[in-house]
């Protein structure tokens, strides 16, 4: 008789965003006609840039002609796209081999699946709070999890793990706190990982939101990272590909580990991907090449700038009303302390029912997220302004 993987029973009943959608749907049912504003999910709202549209059209046209038609693509992804990514890193002084790059259909599947190539009894250190995928996938796989708390007391900068760990998940700029780790902090993690033969899984999905030139956009800006870090990245938040679906992961040949030979982790990830994944859409990949052109990058930056202007409006509005607000400077997320000691879900419900604004309860990102909400800067300017006004108008009642 078939048995369910018992680790699913350890998961929260619903994935965070499904629970939010459920409560929102219930509210809509009870309050038909009320206009809800969503600052909840980090979903992009602006249309794709001109270069990307042209790139995607080009990809479709290739499929319309027998001489350019392609079916299944190259194992690790379109080689022109991977070459463009090599150049993209090179411009920032980082040398990556084209065969160290694996094109994917987004950062979520890769951050979810990478743990599967490491031993079952691996211990994973994960920032708390963090993007729920890291904790939940390690939990489903039965791996042990060690939290690295990120709180106002440590400026949302995790301490090095005090015990043995094998995998270290770092997301910078961070979802949900908006904190970005400095080169000095990342160097400490890289040195720790190298000393302990641990692997860092570095999620750089929000790199394009870093405005401060002193802050690192890639883990490979840190000396020693090529022997201990895998970088996962995405076109989603950078170029509006949340629905198009495209990302990439860098798995250096020189990664080390217990009894690990040169190139072995790269080879095993390739083995995993070629066994369980059949590549990103060929059309999306031509769109990705367009993002990486000079014009494409400029246009994508405009989208990012628009969301960052939203972030500024939210930050200013809430701070003026006495809220303690973190993040939002180099990230599209604002991490807001709930007033009067309310729990995350209590404040979520107040904002939903009284301001008709949907946010994300901080506790959904981990225990250290209790007492916070996350506000996303993705959205239309008018909605953002109205949402800030609505939240502000509640202040005296909280
Ligand atoms: C930290 C982080 N990584 C990855 C993702 C997902 O990226 P993708 O759309 O490329 O799967 C998200 C999406 O919200 C995210 O917040």
């Amino acid at each position: 008789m078939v048995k369910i993987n018992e680790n699913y029973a350890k998961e929260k009943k619903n994935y965070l965003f499904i629970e939010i959608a459920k409560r929102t749907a219930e509210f809509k049912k009870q309050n038909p006609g009320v206009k809800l504003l969503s600052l909840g999910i980090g979903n992009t709202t602006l249309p794709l840039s001109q270069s990307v549209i042209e790139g995607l059209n080009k990809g479709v046209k290739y499929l319309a002609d027998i001489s350019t038609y392609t079916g299944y693509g190259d194992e690790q992804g379109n080689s022109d796209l991977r070459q463009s990514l090599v150049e993209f890193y090179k411009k920032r002084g980082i040398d990556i081999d084209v065969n160290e790059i694996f094109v994917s259909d987004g950062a979520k599947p890769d951050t979810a699946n990478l743990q599967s190539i490491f031993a079952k009894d691996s211990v994973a250190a994960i920032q708390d709070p963090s993007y729920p995928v890291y904790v939940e996938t390690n939990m489903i796989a039965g791996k042990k999890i060690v939290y690295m708390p990120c709180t106002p007391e440590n400026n949302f900068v995790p301490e090095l793990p005090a015990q043995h760990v094998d995998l270290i998940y770092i997301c910078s700029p961070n979802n949900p706190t908006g904190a970005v780790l400095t080169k000095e902090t990342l160097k400490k993690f890289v040195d720790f990982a190298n000393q302990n033969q641990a692997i860092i899984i570095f999620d750089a999905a929000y790199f394009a939101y870093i405005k401060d030139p002193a802050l690192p956009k890639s883990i490979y800006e840190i000396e020693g990272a090529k022997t201990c870090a895998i970088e996962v990245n995405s076109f989603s938040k950078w170029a509006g590909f949340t629905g198009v679906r495209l990302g990439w992961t860098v798995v250096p040949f020189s990664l080390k580990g217990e009894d690990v030979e040169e190139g072995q982790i790269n080879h095993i990830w390739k083995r995993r991907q070629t066994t369980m994944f059949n590549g990103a859409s060929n059309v999306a990949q031509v769109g990705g090449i367009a993002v990486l052109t000079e014009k494409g990058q400029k246009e994508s930056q405009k989208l990012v700038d628009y969301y960052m202007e939203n972030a500024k409006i939210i930050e200013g509005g809430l701070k003026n009303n006495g809220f303690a607000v973190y993040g939002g400077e180099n990230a599209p997320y604002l991490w807001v302390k709930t007033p009067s000691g309310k729990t995350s879900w209590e404040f979520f419900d107040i904002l939903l029912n009284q301001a008709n604004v949907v946010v994300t309860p901080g506790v959904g990102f981990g225990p250290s997220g209790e007492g916070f909400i996350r506000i996303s800067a993705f959205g239309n300017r008018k909605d953002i302004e109205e949402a800030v006004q609505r939240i502000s108008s509640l202040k005296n009642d909280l």
Side-chain angles (χ1 to χ4, degrees):
M1 210 188 335
V2 71
K3 281 190 188 160
I4 302 289
N5 174 351
E6 60 190 14
N7 294 324
Y8 276 90
K10 295 183 200 152
E11 297 278 308
K12 289 191 204 85
K13 231 167 87 217
N14 276 331
Y15 182 67
L16 172 63
F17 294 105
I18 295 173
E19 178 62 28
I20 293 170
K22 209 176 99 192
R23 291 193 190 204
T24 307
E26 185 57 34
F27 174 87
K28 281 184 181 161
K29 206 169 122 195
Q30 304 291 333
N31 302 274
V34 172
K35 183 184 166 199
L36 277 184
L37 297 173
S38 177
L39 306 182
I41 300 187
N43 204 356
T44 49
T45 52
L46 290 174
L48 296 171
S49 69
Q50 195 52 39
S51 329
V52 171
I53 293 296
E54 283 164 19
L56 292 171
N57 277 327
K58 202 162 143 192
V60 172
K61 280 192 187 134
Y62 286 158
L63 297 179
D65 190 318
I66 196 160
S67 65
T68 48
Y69 173 84
T70 52
Y72 296 125
D74 296 342
E75 274 181 345
Q76 291 186 212
N78 179 316
S79 52
D80 289 341
L81 173 59
R82 284 187 290 131
Q83 195 52 47
S84 299
L85 285 166
V86 167
E87 302 303 326
F88 172 71
Y89 279 105
K90 199 169 269 165
K91 282 215 174 87
R92 280 146 58 191
I94 298 165
D95 276 327
I96 303 282
D97 187 282
V98 72
N99 292 319
E100 292 178 317
I101 296 176
F102 293 80
V103 173
S104 71
D105 58 351
K108 182 174 185 173
D110 283 6
T111 51
N113 294 327
L114 275 162
Q115 49 75 27
S116 71
I117 64 168
F118 298 100
K120 270 198 175 146
D121 60 355
S122 303
V123 180
I126 299 176
Q127 281 170 292
D128 168 32
S130 69
Y131 181 47
V133 172
Y134 319 142
V135 166
E136 304 213 353
T137 53
N138 276 283
M139 212 179 250
I140 290 167
K143 292 190 166 71
K144 192 170 166 226
I145 291 159
V146 172
Y147 284 118
M148 299 187 287
C150 298
T151 61
E153 288 68 40
N154 61 15
N155 289 319
F156 304 100
V157 175
E159 308 282 336
L160 289 175
Q163 64 171 92
H164 164 84
V165 299
D166 304 291
L167 297 171
I168 303 168
Y169 287 76
I170 298 179
C171 176
S172 177
N174 188 267
N175 174 11
T177 67
V180 184
L181 300 188
T182 61
K183 286 187 178 163
E184 292 70 32
T185 300
L186 285 184
K187 179 75 176 126
K188 279 191 209 160
F189 275 89
V190 164
D191 289 347
F192 175 87
N194 278 323
Q195 276 155 21
N196 294 281
Q197 296 201 326
I199 293 285
I200 295 172
I201 296 176
F202 187 78
D203 186 343
Y206 296 98
F207 77 92
Y209 291 80
I210 295 180
K211 286 195 272 181
D212 181 345
L215 294 170
K217 292 185 172 175
S218 164
I219 187 82
Y220 304 119
E221 290 177 45
I222 312 303
E223 199 197 330
K226 291 276 285 288
T227 47
C228 68
I230 293 174
E231 180 162 298
V232 183
N233 217 322
S234 171
F235 289 88
S236 284
K237 312 296 165 101
W238 176 26
F241 273 46
T242 39
V244 179
R245 308 304 305 146
L246 193 66
W248 75 93
T249 287
V250 180
V251 187
F253 295 127
S254 46
L255 287 175
K256 292 199 162 60
E258 195 179 311
D259 300 325
V260 169
E261 288 166 18
E262 171 85 12
Q264 196 177 359
I265 295 180
N266 175 287
H267 175 75
I268 290 176
W269 181 243
K270 183 170 170 174
R271 183 82 174 81
R272 192 267 167 213
Q273 290 298 77
T274 49
T275 305
M276 302 193 191
F277 176 58
N278 243 348
S281 143
N282 43 13
V283 175
Q285 294 190 72
V286 182
I289 295 171
V291 175
L292 287 157
T293 60
E294 208 171 303
K295 185 163 169 261
Q297 290 195 47
K298 261 198 201 127
E299 290 177 3
S300 298
Q301 198 55 48
K302 281 207 183 120
L303 306 183
V304 167
D305 290 347
Y306 178 92
Y307 296 128
M308 289 309 284
E309 187 59 32
N310 284 349
K312 218 190 264 171
I313 291 167
I314 301 167
E315 186 186 7
L318 296 188
K319 276 188 175 164
N320 278 344
N321 282 283
F323 284 95
V325 184
Y326 305 92
E329 303 282 332
N330 294 283
Y333 295 120
L334 295 110
W335 191 236
V336 182
K337 187 91 196 90
T338 60
S340 317
K342 292 191 168 43
T343 68
S344 299
W345 279 109
E346 278 169 357
F347 194 43
F348 169 91
D349 285 332
I350 289 172
L351 291 178
L352 176 63
N353 291 299
Q354 295 178 33
N356 308 138
V357 173
V358 180
V359 297
T360 311
V363 72
F365 297 96
S368 297
E370 182 56 283
F372 289 88
I373 54 156
R374 188 197 73 175
I375 297 189
S376 157
F378 295 105
N380 299 315
R381 181 69 41 82
K382 267 192 163 163
D383 288 350
I384 297 280
E385 286 167 346
E386 191 179 336
V388 170
Q389 257 180 8
R390 288 190 194 177
I391 298 175
S392 304
S393 69
L394 284 184
K395 185 66 179 110
N396 293 336
D397 306 327
L398 297 170

